[in-house]
Amino acid sequence: MLQHFRVQPMFEGGQLPGWTFSFQQGAERFTGDYMPDGTIKWTSTTPADEESVKKMVHELMTFHVYE
């Protein structure tokens, strides 16, 4: 489960090209960039269960950005 999920536009005004995000999973904090095509670029270490974390990030981005 991802905790303390935060997302913000990369640039002022909320225009593309993407968003930065961060979250806590267990005792570790992860950060990354979410690109307009749905690609995730990790700016911290990559989570061990990357595929399941990516699914959760995509769902949260849909809720926070696209709703």
Side-chain angles (χ1 to χ4, degrees):
M1 176 181 225
L2 308 183
Q3 298 175 323
H4 307 291
F5 186 81
R6 292 181 159 208
V7 62
Q8 63 184 26
M10 283 183 178
F11 298 99
E12 264 185 59
Q15 299 298 317
L16 295 179
W19 302 265
T20 59
F21 66 88
S22 64
F23 61 89
Q24 190 90 14
Q25 187 180 33
E28 261 187 285
R29 183 171 187 272
F30 296 97
T31 59
D33 295 332
Y34 191 89
M35 308 314 282
D37 65 356
T39 305
I40 294 174
K41 295 181 181 177
W42 299 104
T43 55
S44 64
T45 58
T46 304
D49 53 345
E50 183 179 14
E51 289 308 310
S52 65
V53 170
K54 279 184 176 182
K55 287 180 184 179
M56 288 186 264
V57 170
H58 288 305
E59 288 176 16
L60 287 166
M61 290 300 291
T62 300
F63 177 76
H64 286 286
V65 174
Y66 296 110
E67 288 279 319

